[in-house]
Amino acid sequence: KIKFLDIQFETVNEMTARMSRNLILLLFATISCAEILMLGGGEIDDNNKDIWGSFVKLAGGSSANIAIITSASADPSGSGTFYIDILKAFGAKSFWVPIDLNHTENAESPQIAATITEATGIFFGGGDQSRLIECFTRNATQDPTLALKAIVAQYHSNVVIAGTSAGTAIQAGGGVPMVTSGMSYFALRDGAVPWTQTPIDEDDLMYDPLGGFPLFNLGTVDMHFSERGRQGRAIRLAHDTNHVYAFGVDQDTALIFQKTGDDVAFHVVGSAGAYIFDLTWAVTRSDPHWSIYNISATYLSSGDAYNWNSKKVDPPSWKAPLHGSNPLANTSADIFEISRDFTNVAWSLMESTQSTTYGLTSETNPQWRVNMKKTDATKAWKGSRGDSSLITFASLQIDMVVVK
Protein backbone atom coordinates (compact mmCIF):
# COMPACT_ATOMS: atom_id res chain seq x y z
CA LYS A 1 0.00 0.00 0.00
CA ILE A 2 1.38 3.40 -0.94
CA LYS A 3 1.54 5.77 2.01
CA PHE A 4 0.94 9.49 1.82
CA LEU A 5 2.17 12.39 3.91
CA ASP A 6 -0.24 15.19 4.86
CA ILE A 7 1.26 18.60 4.35
CA GLN A 8 -0.98 21.43 5.52
CA PHE A 9 -0.38 24.91 4.21
CA GLU A 10 -3.11 26.56 6.33
CA THR A 11 -4.53 25.89 9.75
CA VAL A 12 -7.50 23.59 10.21
CA ASN A 13 -9.57 26.52 11.46
CA GLU A 14 -8.81 28.50 8.33
CA MET A 15 -9.70 25.54 6.16
CA THR A 16 -12.96 24.96 8.05
CA ALA A 17 -13.92 28.64 8.14
CA ARG A 18 -13.59 29.43 4.46
CA MET A 19 -12.67 26.20 2.66
CA SER A 20 -9.27 27.60 1.84
CA ARG A 21 -8.21 28.09 -1.74
CA ASN A 22 -5.13 26.11 -0.84
CA LEU A 23 -6.02 22.49 -0.35
CA ILE A 24 -4.26 20.17 2.08
CA LEU A 25 -1.74 18.47 -0.15
CA LEU A 26 -1.19 14.76 0.12
CA LEU A 27 2.37 14.15 -0.92
CA PHE A 28 4.25 10.94 -0.78
CA ALA A 29 5.98 9.78 2.37
CA THR A 30 8.47 7.67 0.43
CA ILE A 31 10.05 10.65 -1.32
CA SER A 32 13.60 9.56 -0.52
CA CYS A 33 13.28 6.31 -2.47
CA ALA A 34 10.89 7.23 -5.27
CA GLU A 35 11.11 8.43 -8.84
CA ILE A 36 8.95 11.55 -9.05
CA LEU A 37 7.66 13.63 -11.95
CA MET A 38 5.35 16.64 -11.97
CA LEU A 39 3.41 16.97 -15.22
CA GLY A 40 2.14 20.55 -15.39
CA GLY A 41 -0.70 21.43 -17.75
CA GLY A 42 0.52 24.92 -18.65
CA GLU A 43 -0.57 28.42 -17.65
CA ILE A 44 0.40 27.82 -14.03
CA ASP A 45 -0.46 30.83 -11.90
CA ASP A 46 2.59 32.49 -10.35
CA ASN A 47 0.90 32.27 -6.93
CA ASN A 48 -0.37 28.70 -7.17
CA LYS A 49 0.79 27.42 -3.79
CA ASP A 50 -0.50 23.92 -4.45
CA ILE A 51 1.85 23.45 -7.40
CA TRP A 52 4.90 25.58 -6.62
CA GLY A 53 4.77 24.73 -2.93
CA SER A 54 4.57 21.02 -3.71
CA PHE A 55 7.48 21.22 -6.13
CA VAL A 56 9.69 23.09 -3.68
CA LYS A 57 8.76 20.64 -0.92
CA LEU A 58 9.66 17.66 -3.11
CA ALA A 59 12.93 19.34 -4.12
CA GLY A 60 14.06 19.76 -0.53
CA GLY A 61 12.19 22.76 0.84
CA SER A 62 14.49 25.44 2.20
CA SER A 63 17.46 23.32 1.08
CA ALA A 64 16.24 23.09 -2.53
CA ASN A 65 18.64 23.87 -5.38
CA ILE A 66 16.60 23.72 -8.58
CA ALA A 67 17.91 23.64 -12.16
CA ILE A 68 15.77 25.73 -14.52
CA ILE A 69 15.76 24.60 -18.15
CA THR A 70 14.03 26.96 -20.59
CA SER A 71 15.40 25.73 -23.89
CA ALA A 72 11.84 25.39 -25.24
CA SER A 73 11.23 29.13 -24.92
CA ALA A 74 11.68 31.77 -27.60
CA ASP A 75 13.33 33.85 -24.86
CA PRO A 76 15.27 31.31 -22.79
CA SER A 77 17.15 33.77 -20.59
CA GLY A 78 14.09 35.89 -19.80
CA SER A 79 12.04 32.79 -19.13
CA GLY A 80 14.75 31.52 -16.80
CA THR A 81 14.66 34.72 -14.77
CA PHE A 82 10.87 34.47 -14.60
CA TYR A 83 10.94 31.00 -13.03
CA ILE A 84 13.85 31.84 -10.73
CA ASP A 85 11.79 34.70 -9.29
CA ILE A 86 8.74 32.47 -8.78
CA LEU A 87 10.73 29.80 -6.96
CA LYS A 88 12.47 32.42 -4.84
CA ALA A 89 9.04 33.61 -3.67
CA PHE A 90 8.38 30.06 -2.49
CA GLY A 91 11.66 29.86 -0.59
CA ALA A 92 13.80 27.92 -3.06
CA LYS A 93 17.16 28.67 -4.61
CA SER A 94 17.44 27.94 -8.32
CA PHE A 95 19.75 28.52 -11.26
CA TRP A 96 19.37 28.78 -15.01
CA VAL A 97 20.93 26.12 -17.25
CA PRO A 98 22.40 27.99 -20.27
CA ILE A 99 21.41 25.55 -23.00
CA ASP A 100 19.34 26.92 -25.88
CA LEU A 101 19.27 26.90 -29.68
CA ASN A 102 22.11 29.43 -29.77
CA HIS A 103 24.20 27.42 -27.33
CA THR A 104 23.47 23.76 -28.12
CA GLU A 105 27.15 22.94 -27.57
CA ASN A 106 26.62 23.57 -23.85
CA ALA A 107 24.63 20.34 -23.66
CA GLU A 108 27.96 18.50 -24.04
CA SER A 109 29.73 20.57 -21.37
CA PRO A 110 30.96 18.46 -18.43
CA GLN A 111 30.76 21.54 -16.21
CA ILE A 112 27.10 22.18 -17.04
CA ALA A 113 26.24 18.50 -16.67
CA ALA A 114 27.88 18.63 -13.24
CA THR A 115 25.65 21.53 -12.15
CA ILE A 116 22.58 19.50 -13.17
CA THR A 117 23.89 16.59 -11.12
CA GLU A 118 24.11 18.86 -8.08
CA ALA A 119 20.48 20.00 -8.35
CA THR A 120 17.80 18.75 -5.96
CA GLY A 121 15.07 19.41 -8.51
CA ILE A 122 14.80 20.10 -12.26
CA PHE A 123 12.17 22.25 -13.96
CA PHE A 124 11.38 22.45 -17.70
CA GLY A 125 9.63 25.63 -18.83
CA GLY A 126 7.14 25.92 -21.66
CA GLY A 127 7.46 26.83 -25.33
CA ASP A 128 8.11 24.39 -28.16
CA GLN A 129 9.14 20.87 -27.15
CA SER A 130 10.98 20.30 -30.45
CA ARG A 131 13.54 22.89 -29.29
CA LEU A 132 14.32 20.68 -26.30
CA ILE A 133 14.92 17.75 -28.62
CA GLU A 134 17.27 19.84 -30.75
CA CYS A 135 19.17 21.12 -27.72
CA PHE A 136 19.53 17.91 -25.71
CA THR A 137 19.85 15.17 -28.34
CA ARG A 138 22.01 14.55 -31.38
CA ASN A 139 21.48 12.92 -34.76
CA ALA A 140 18.33 11.42 -36.23
CA THR A 141 18.36 8.75 -33.54
CA GLN A 142 18.19 11.41 -30.80
CA ASP A 143 21.29 10.24 -28.98
CA PRO A 144 21.45 11.82 -25.50
CA THR A 145 23.94 14.57 -24.73
CA LEU A 146 25.88 14.75 -21.46
CA ALA A 147 23.27 17.13 -20.09
CA LEU A 148 20.39 14.78 -20.91
CA LYS A 149 22.27 11.84 -19.41
CA ALA A 150 22.66 13.89 -16.24
CA ILE A 151 18.92 14.68 -16.17
CA VAL A 152 17.92 11.03 -16.59
CA ALA A 153 20.45 9.93 -13.96
CA GLN A 154 19.01 12.50 -11.55
CA TYR A 155 15.51 11.16 -12.14
CA HIS A 156 16.62 7.62 -11.32
CA SER A 157 18.39 9.02 -8.25
CA ASN A 158 15.01 10.25 -6.97
CA VAL A 159 15.42 13.92 -7.85
CA VAL A 160 12.02 15.42 -8.70
CA ILE A 161 11.58 16.60 -12.29
CA ALA A 162 8.78 19.03 -13.11
CA GLY A 163 7.61 20.83 -16.21
CA THR A 164 4.82 22.88 -17.70
CA SER A 165 3.30 22.79 -21.19
CA ALA A 166 6.18 21.85 -23.54
CA GLY A 167 8.13 20.98 -20.40
CA THR A 168 5.51 18.32 -19.71
CA ALA A 169 5.30 17.05 -23.29
CA ILE A 170 9.05 16.41 -23.29
CA GLN A 171 8.78 14.06 -20.31
CA ALA A 172 6.93 11.43 -22.38
CA GLY A 173 9.45 9.02 -23.88
CA GLY A 174 11.06 5.66 -23.44
CA GLY A 175 8.87 4.11 -26.13
CA VAL A 176 6.05 6.68 -25.89
CA PRO A 177 5.60 9.20 -28.72
CA MET A 178 5.66 12.93 -28.01
CA VAL A 179 2.76 15.04 -29.29
CA THR A 180 3.86 18.10 -31.28
CA SER A 181 0.66 19.63 -32.70
CA GLY A 182 -2.95 19.08 -33.66
CA MET A 183 -6.63 19.85 -33.10
CA SER A 184 -9.11 17.21 -31.93
CA TYR A 185 -11.44 17.39 -34.92
CA PHE A 186 -8.64 16.99 -37.46
CA ALA A 187 -7.13 14.23 -35.34
CA LEU A 188 -10.38 12.26 -35.56
CA ARG A 189 -10.69 12.97 -39.26
CA ASP A 190 -7.12 12.42 -40.44
CA GLY A 191 -5.33 10.42 -37.75
CA ALA A 192 -1.86 10.86 -36.32
CA VAL A 193 1.14 11.59 -38.54
CA PRO A 194 4.84 11.45 -37.61
CA TRP A 195 6.15 15.02 -37.58
CA THR A 196 9.00 14.15 -39.94
CA GLN A 197 6.47 13.83 -42.75
CA THR A 198 5.07 16.68 -44.84
CA PRO A 199 2.97 18.73 -45.20
CA ILE A 200 3.11 20.17 -41.69
CA ASP A 201 0.01 22.05 -40.56
CA GLU A 202 -0.58 23.02 -36.93
CA ASP A 203 -4.14 21.65 -37.18
CA ASP A 204 -2.81 18.18 -38.03
CA LEU A 205 -2.15 15.71 -35.23
CA MET A 206 1.59 15.21 -35.41
CA TYR A 207 4.00 13.47 -33.09
CA ASP A 208 7.64 12.59 -32.68
CA PRO A 209 7.77 8.77 -32.93
CA LEU A 210 11.02 8.67 -30.94
CA GLY A 211 9.32 10.47 -28.08
CA GLY A 212 10.73 13.03 -25.70
CA PHE A 213 13.12 12.30 -22.87
CA PRO A 214 13.00 8.77 -21.34
CA LEU A 215 11.14 9.66 -18.15
CA PHE A 216 7.38 8.93 -18.29
CA ASN A 217 6.35 5.84 -20.28
CA LEU A 218 2.93 4.77 -19.01
CA GLY A 219 1.12 6.40 -21.91
CA THR A 220 0.89 9.45 -24.13
CA VAL A 221 0.82 12.86 -22.43
CA ASP A 222 -0.98 16.06 -23.38
CA MET A 223 -1.48 19.44 -21.69
CA HIS A 224 -3.73 22.58 -21.82
CA PHE A 225 -6.18 19.73 -21.90
CA SER A 226 -9.76 20.66 -21.01
CA GLU A 227 -9.20 24.30 -21.94
CA ARG A 228 -8.25 23.46 -25.53
CA GLY A 229 -10.49 20.43 -25.98
CA ARG A 230 -7.66 17.99 -26.60
CA GLN A 231 -9.52 14.82 -25.64
CA GLY A 232 -10.01 13.79 -29.27
CA ARG A 233 -6.37 14.24 -30.25
CA ALA A 234 -5.13 12.42 -27.14
CA ILE A 235 -7.31 9.40 -27.79
CA ARG A 236 -6.45 9.27 -31.50
CA LEU A 237 -2.71 9.55 -30.80
CA ALA A 238 -2.80 6.74 -28.25
CA HIS A 239 -4.79 4.50 -30.59
CA ASP A 240 -2.72 5.18 -33.71
CA THR A 241 0.57 4.57 -31.89
CA ASN A 242 -0.66 1.40 -30.13
CA HIS A 243 -0.75 2.76 -26.59
CA VAL A 244 -3.43 1.75 -24.11
CA TYR A 245 -3.34 4.87 -21.92
CA ALA A 246 -3.54 8.58 -22.64
CA PHE A 247 -3.00 11.26 -20.00
CA GLY A 248 -4.12 14.88 -20.25
CA VAL A 249 -3.47 17.64 -17.73
CA ASP A 250 -5.52 20.83 -17.42
CA GLN A 251 -4.03 24.30 -17.14
CA ASP A 252 -2.93 25.60 -13.72
CA THR A 253 -2.78 21.96 -12.59
CA ALA A 254 -0.08 19.34 -12.10
CA LEU A 255 -0.26 15.56 -12.11
CA ILE A 256 2.36 14.19 -9.72
CA PHE A 257 3.72 10.76 -10.61
CA GLN A 258 5.53 8.63 -8.05
CA LYS A 259 7.13 5.25 -8.66
CA THR A 260 8.43 3.30 -5.67
CA GLY A 261 9.60 -0.14 -6.73
CA ASP A 262 6.63 -1.71 -8.50
CA ASP A 263 4.12 0.66 -6.88
CA VAL A 264 2.91 3.64 -8.89
CA ALA A 265 0.65 6.43 -7.70
CA PHE A 266 -0.59 9.79 -8.92
CA HIS A 267 -1.78 12.88 -7.12
CA VAL A 268 -3.40 16.03 -8.53
CA VAL A 269 -2.59 19.53 -7.30
CA GLY A 270 -3.72 22.89 -8.64
CA SER A 271 -7.03 24.42 -9.67
CA ALA A 272 -8.46 21.84 -12.09
CA GLY A 273 -7.70 18.20 -12.95
CA ALA A 274 -6.26 15.53 -15.21
CA TYR A 275 -7.67 12.78 -17.44
CA ILE A 276 -6.63 9.17 -17.76
CA PHE A 277 -8.13 7.43 -20.80
CA ASP A 278 -8.02 3.63 -20.89
CA LEU A 279 -8.29 2.07 -24.35
CA THR A 280 -7.95 -1.53 -23.14
CA TRP A 281 -11.41 -2.52 -24.38
CA ALA A 282 -11.78 0.07 -27.11
CA VAL A 283 -12.85 -0.98 -30.61
CA THR A 284 -12.71 1.06 -33.81
CA ARG A 285 -14.57 1.15 -37.08
CA SER A 286 -13.84 2.92 -40.36
CA ASP A 287 -16.75 3.11 -42.80
CA PRO A 288 -15.20 5.19 -44.30
CA HIS A 289 -14.51 7.56 -41.40
CA TRP A 290 -12.94 6.57 -38.09
CA SER A 291 -15.00 5.93 -34.95
CA ILE A 292 -13.94 4.54 -31.57
CA TYR A 293 -16.07 2.92 -28.88
CA ASN A 294 -15.76 1.83 -25.27
CA ILE A 295 -13.07 4.11 -23.92
CA SER A 296 -12.96 4.32 -20.13
CA ALA A 297 -12.37 7.86 -18.86
CA THR A 298 -11.26 8.86 -15.37
CA TYR A 299 -11.01 12.51 -14.37
CA LEU A 300 -8.99 13.30 -11.26
CA SER A 301 -9.55 16.76 -9.84
CA SER A 302 -7.43 18.65 -7.34
CA GLY A 303 -6.73 16.74 -4.15
CA ASP A 304 -7.29 13.27 -5.61
CA ALA A 305 -4.86 10.39 -5.37
CA TYR A 306 -4.88 7.45 -7.79
CA ASN A 307 -3.34 4.03 -7.27
CA TRP A 308 -2.09 2.90 -10.67
CA ASN A 309 -1.68 -0.73 -9.62
CA SER A 310 -5.30 -1.13 -8.48
CA LYS A 311 -6.74 1.60 -10.76
CA LYS A 312 -8.57 3.04 -7.75
CA VAL A 313 -9.36 6.69 -7.03
CA ASP A 314 -8.76 7.96 -3.50
CA PRO A 315 -10.50 11.34 -3.16
CA PRO A 316 -9.76 13.65 -0.20
CA SER A 317 -12.10 13.79 2.79
CA TRP A 318 -13.65 17.06 1.60
CA LYS A 319 -15.15 15.31 -1.44
CA ALA A 320 -18.29 13.22 -0.96
CA PRO A 321 -19.79 10.54 -3.22
CA LEU A 322 -21.93 12.19 -5.88
CA HIS A 323 -25.33 10.75 -6.76
CA GLY A 324 -26.91 12.85 -9.48
CA SER A 325 -30.20 14.62 -8.76
CA ASN A 326 -30.61 17.07 -11.64
CA PRO A 327 -33.16 15.85 -14.20
CA LEU A 328 -31.11 16.72 -17.28
CA ALA A 329 -27.45 16.69 -18.24
CA ASN A 330 -25.95 19.30 -20.55
CA THR A 331 -25.16 18.65 -24.20
CA SER A 332 -22.76 20.52 -26.47
CA ALA A 333 -22.83 21.68 -30.07
CA ASP A 334 -19.06 22.32 -30.04
CA ILE A 335 -17.56 19.69 -27.76
CA PHE A 336 -13.88 20.37 -28.48
CA GLU A 337 -13.68 24.06 -29.38
CA ILE A 338 -15.44 25.66 -26.38
CA SER A 339 -13.05 25.80 -23.44
CA ARG A 340 -13.71 23.00 -20.91
CA ASP A 341 -16.96 21.98 -22.66
CA PHE A 342 -16.05 18.29 -22.77
CA THR A 343 -15.33 18.30 -19.04
CA ASN A 344 -18.34 20.44 -18.15
CA VAL A 345 -20.69 18.13 -20.06
CA ALA A 346 -19.21 15.11 -18.28
CA TRP A 347 -19.59 16.87 -14.92
CA SER A 348 -23.22 17.68 -15.68
CA LEU A 349 -23.87 14.00 -16.41
CA MET A 350 -22.42 13.08 -13.02
CA GLU A 351 -24.80 15.57 -11.36
CA SER A 352 -27.85 14.31 -13.27
CA THR A 353 -30.16 11.33 -13.04
CA GLN A 354 -29.54 10.61 -16.72
CA SER A 355 -27.27 7.78 -17.76
CA THR A 356 -26.15 9.30 -21.07
CA THR A 357 -25.41 12.59 -22.76
CA TYR A 358 -23.46 13.78 -25.78
CA GLY A 359 -21.59 16.55 -27.55
CA LEU A 360 -21.13 17.25 -31.25
CA THR A 361 -18.23 18.69 -33.20
CA SER A 362 -19.11 22.04 -34.75
CA GLU A 363 -17.36 20.91 -37.93
CA THR A 364 -19.36 18.80 -40.34
CA ASN A 365 -18.74 16.67 -43.44
CA PRO A 366 -18.05 14.58 -41.47
CA GLN A 367 -19.34 15.35 -38.00
CA TRP A 368 -18.52 13.43 -34.83
CA ARG A 369 -20.72 12.80 -31.84
CA VAL A 370 -19.07 12.16 -28.48
CA ASN A 371 -21.31 9.88 -26.42
CA MET A 372 -20.85 9.73 -22.65
CA LYS A 373 -22.41 6.89 -20.68
CA LYS A 374 -22.54 5.95 -17.02
CA THR A 375 -22.09 2.23 -16.42
CA ASP A 376 -22.31 0.08 -13.31
CA ALA A 377 -18.61 0.82 -12.77
CA THR A 378 -18.95 4.62 -12.97
CA LYS A 379 -18.35 6.53 -9.73
CA ALA A 380 -18.22 10.23 -8.94
CA TRP A 381 -17.33 12.54 -6.06
CA LYS A 382 -17.82 16.27 -5.49
CA GLY A 383 -16.39 18.83 -3.11
CA SER A 384 -15.83 22.56 -2.75
CA ARG A 385 -12.88 24.68 -1.77
CA GLY A 386 -13.11 28.43 -1.81
CA ASP A 387 -15.51 29.47 -4.56
CA SER A 388 -14.81 26.40 -6.70
CA SER A 389 -16.69 23.12 -6.91
CA LEU A 390 -14.71 20.15 -8.19
CA ILE A 391 -15.98 16.85 -9.52
CA THR A 392 -14.04 13.61 -9.87
CA PHE A 393 -15.27 10.64 -11.87
CA ALA A 394 -14.05 7.18 -12.72
CA SER A 395 -14.95 4.69 -15.46
CA LEU A 396 -17.12 6.91 -17.65
CA GLN A 397 -17.66 5.24 -21.03
CA ILE A 398 -16.78 7.41 -24.04
CA ASP A 399 -17.57 6.75 -27.70
CA MET A 400 -16.54 9.06 -30.56
CA VAL A 401 -18.76 8.23 -33.51
CA VAL A 402 -19.23 9.66 -37.01
CA VAL A 403 -22.86 10.74 -37.42
CA LYS A 404 -22.88 12.37 -40.87
Side-chain angles (χ1 to χ4, degrees):
K1 183 179 177 62
I2 296 174
K3 298 179 180 179
F4 299 98
L5 171 66
D6 288 345
I7 299 172
Q8 185 169 304
F9 287 119
E10 298 197 14
T11 67
V12 173
N13 288 339
E14 288 173 327
M15 186 71 176
T16 303
R18 53 191 192 84
M19 297 302 290
S20 168
R21 291 176 61 202
N22 300 312
L23 87 135
I24 298 174
L25 297 177
L26 300 176
L27 296 178
F28 307 105
T30 50
I31 288 172
S32 63
C33 58
E35 296 172 342
I36 304 174
L37 301 171
M38 289 187 70
L39 307 172
E43 304 290 337
I44 298 174
D45 190 280
D46 300 359
N47 299 310
N48 191 320
K49 194 171 185 179
D50 292 347
I51 295 176
W52 297 115
S54 297
F55 178 44
V56 170
K57 179 71 178 180
L58 290 167
S62 60
S63 300
N65 179 37
I66 297 169
I68 305 295
I69 297 173
T70 55
S71 314
S73 173
D75 178 15
S77 177
S79 185
T81 300
F82 172 75
Y83 289 119
I84 286 171
D85 289 343
I86 290 177
L87 291 168
K88 181 179 179 180
F90 284 90
K93 293 185 296 183
S94 57
F95 62 93
W96 181 58
V97 177
I99 299 173
D100 56 39
L101 292 180
N102 293 322
H103 303 92
T104 58
E105 71 280 2
N106 285 349
E108 295 289 9
S109 164
Q111 291 77 18
I112 290 176
T115 65
I116 294 172
T117 302
E118 294 168 359
T120 63
I122 298 170
F123 181 82
F124 292 107
D128 183 342
Q129 51 266 42
S130 65
R131 293 177 181 143
L132 285 159
I133 294 294
E134 187 171 348
C135 287
F136 284 86
T137 69
R138 298 290 182 263
N139 307 318
T141 52
Q142 295 182 7
D143 300 325
T145 58
L146 284 179
L148 180 52
K149 290 177 181 178
I151 291 167
V152 174
Q154 284 285 72
Y155 169 62
H156 292 300
S157 297
N158 310 318
V159 169
V160 58
I161 296 180
T164 184
S165 191
T168 286
I170 198 65
Q171 296 182 54
V176 174
M178 180 183 73
V179 66
T180 58
S181 66
M183 305 287 287
S184 281
Y185 174 79
F186 297 99
L188 296 181
R189 190 189 71 180
D190 302 325
V193 181
W195 74 296
T196 53
Q197 295 184 8
T198 55
I200 295 177
D201 188 307
E202 65 180 12
D203 289 339
D204 294 337
L205 172 55
M206 306 196 78
Y207 66 97
D208 186 333
L210 295 180
F213 300 160
L215 301 171
F216 185 83
N217 64 1
L218 293 183
T220 61
V221 176
D222 214 330
M223 50 281 152
H224 302 282
F225 204 66
S226 291
E227 294 75 14
R228 300 186 186 178
R230 288 179 165 173
Q231 294 85 357
R233 87 171 193 177
I235 288 168
R236 188 69 197 256
L237 177 61
H239 172 270
D240 286 7
T241 58
N242 298 312
H243 286 84
V244 173
Y245 298 102
F247 297 79
V249 188
D250 293 345
Q251 292 178 176
D252 198 35
T253 304
L255 181 64
I256 301 176
F257 161 86
Q258 179 203 22
K259 185 175 186 293
T260 309
D262 293 330
D263 292 327
V264 174
F266 292 93
H267 188 83
V268 177
V269 294
S271 63
Y275 278 91
I276 303 174
F277 292 113
D278 183 349
L279 280 65
T280 300
W281 305 107
V283 294
T284 59
R285 185 178 68 193
S286 297
D287 53 358
H289 296 292
W290 189 83
S291 297
I292 188 167
Y293 304 82
N294 206 29
I295 302 157
S296 179
T298 291
Y299 183 79
L300 307 171
S301 57
S302 188
D304 292 333
Y306 185 77
N307 187 306
W308 180 254
N309 302 72
S310 64
K311 303 297 188 290
K312 298 295 184 184
V313 178
D314 183 13
S317 59
W318 51 272
K319 290 181 185 174
L322 176 59
H323 305 288
S325 59
N326 297 337
L328 295 175
N330 295 342
T331 60
S332 174
D334 200 352
I335 192 67
F336 296 127
E337 293 299 315
I338 298 175
S339 179
R340 295 194 63 83
D341 224 28
F342 187 107
T343 300
N344 289 336
V345 169
W347 279 14
S348 77
L349 180 59
M350 297 303 115
E351 294 189 288
S352 80
T353 57
Q354 289 185 282
S355 60
T356 63
T357 190
Y358 69 93
L360 296 169
T361 61
S362 60
E363 300 91 344
T364 57
N365 299 318
Q367 183 178 46
W368 271 265
R369 173 174 167 140
V370 177
N371 296 321
M372 303 180 181
K373 180 181 180 181
K374 296 176 187 174
T375 69
D376 291 342
T378 304
K379 296 181 179 180
W381 300 263
K382 183 178 181 180
S384 298
R385 58 187 188 109
D387 298 328
S388 300
S389 292
L390 293 168
I391 293 176
T392 298
F393 59 80
S395 301
L396 175 65
Q397 181 177 319
I398 303 291
D399 304 329
M400 297 183 176
V401 184
V402 170
V403 291
K404 61 180 180 180

